[in-house]
Amino acid sequence: MACPWVERHEKDTPTVISEEAVARVLAGTDIVQLVGRYLPLKPSGRYYKALCPFHNEKTPSFIVNPERQIFHCFGCGEGGDAIGFLMKQERWSFPEAIRSLADRAGISLPARLQPHTGGGTGQSERARPGLLEIHKSTAEFFLAQLRHPTIGAPARAYLKGRAIPDSVVEQFGLGYAATSWDGLLRHLVRRGFSKKQVEEAGLALPRKESGGAYDRFRNRLMIPICDPTGQIIAFGGRVLDDALPKYLNSPETPLYRKGAHLFGLHLAAPAIRERGSVLVVEGYFDLIALHAHGMPHTVAVLGTALTAQQIALLRRHATRAFLLFDPDPAGIAAARRCVESLLNSGLEWRVILLPDGEDPDSCLRKRGPSAFADAVAQSKDLMEFLLDRKVSGFDLTSPDGQANAVNTVLPLLGAVENEITRQRYAEKLARRVSLSNEAIVRELNLQVRGRKRDAMPPSLQPRGLPSIEWKLIHLALHHPGAAHRVREGVRPEELLDRTLRRIFQYAILGPEAGRAAIPLAAMEPEAQRMLTELLATDLEEYEGEEAIERALTDYLTRLTLRRTREQGEELRRQIDAAERAGDHAAVAQLQAQFLALGRDRTRPHARAVT
Ligand SMILES: [Zn+2]
């Protein structure tokens, strides 16, 4: 039997992935390792905990359960298995997620997607596999051009001039786009891609007059931009001389959105997690220089301001971030623009100022790693850095100057949500402008008054009061003996909650029953969320077999009572109707049924656990 999930989606994709293949891929995948590539997981008892990537929170309510191979968030309710995690995290379709897992686990799946799949449809979900293939082929082409004895010579000379070793060229997959107008386009068409697909990937531009197309990147050193799993999703190209624009990036495509990615994150993530800190630079070559000088915990923003999405990406891996933005006015303005989201991200931010306004690349080349290390050691807290810059423009010897300085800075302080941090900065400001702490705090309190307080952190417990139905299924999922009795004592149609009924049929009556790791992808998202909640919630309220037995008997009895009460009400309605119709035979028969129901009700439900 094919996986029902895939069957429903067959119309959209030409692949059918069997249930057996799904099980094989899941068996070859460890969800802890998978999730750990995206989030810093901390062991907590039998689970791993992290801040949820799917909603904004300050206390972890996201758990990964290695035994069940599931994740669940008690804050927002998201949950699923390894496939579901990738689908949500990467916004991939089911086939894309399972292919990625299969590739990593070294499992080959039948019916490979062809490069032309979905090309030119304009639907990002379908276009994605084709687009990934195009980017991969393009990177291979650029690399071959770079290595070509004559064509690649100027680019190799440029790399040598910047002292970039071959190992780094290889690590980053650097390449060269030659001067030809359509070398890449012709190569890709030969590889089976259509001109339209190449344009959609942002690698070629249409010619207005002739209807043809030409390569977007020409005579540039090419730098692949990857997603967190290392798949190429865009390119950056740098000129080899002083031509303009110095840098040219891929346009936005279904794969690539500006400000949504961090350059180098797929290479840097393990080092960032290991150190707990990350160096954030602006450009490609700053990052490449730092990696080449033994600082692999570096990412680049490829823009002048960090976006909220990029901050969220950093927060998943690090607790402290060092900004290496150029200390020029433009750089500071950029830092100010994003300061609010920075300050409340839960990360500790520091600013590294390099001597003489140099960028990391030139600093390392001219002064060497020790000068750079000195600058890191002298890094400043971001807020203190900003306060200092803002205040330094005022004459602090005059009362007017003091007042103006405070008024300029207070909105910045007021943006800090954490009260303790805010007070700490207020003290620093007071010292800096030589005013009393009380005066600053009074002004600051006026700024933040009325803003609602943070919500209570969600605990690692289900939201809302669990129903009897929920508790019965919970017991059955966690206790094999209970599962047996629940299977015998509960009929699916008795369960009022449709999602619980679905879970009961799938995970307790179905072929997956009794397995520790239940494949979830075949279920609807709502059922996945509830099932992972059931699986992730501990059985702690029952201590010992006897307590479980008592609880089970209690729940089953209450379910039976509910059932007989409903049946009794139905019989009464039928008896009333039969009496009104004068059908005495029917009345007698229904009354007999009603009495039998009463006898059932008084019969005890308890039975030994087998
Ligand atoms: Zn969540």
Side-chain angles (χ1 to χ4, degrees), residues 439-457:
I440 302 281
V441 169
R442 197 169 52 237
E443 288 298 313
L444 189 56
N445 285 342
L446 287 174
Q447 285 262 341
V448 297
R449 182 169 297 165
R451 211 172 48 200
K452 65 177 178 194
R453 304 183 72 84
D454 287 349
M456 289 289 287

Side-chain angles (χ1 to χ4, degrees), residues 50-57 61-62 71-79 458:
L51 290 172
C52 178
F54 306 118
H55 83 283
N56 197 5
E57 63 175 3
S61 34
F62 177 93
F71 73 94
H72 183 80
C73 174
F74 287 102
C76 65
E78 274 301 349

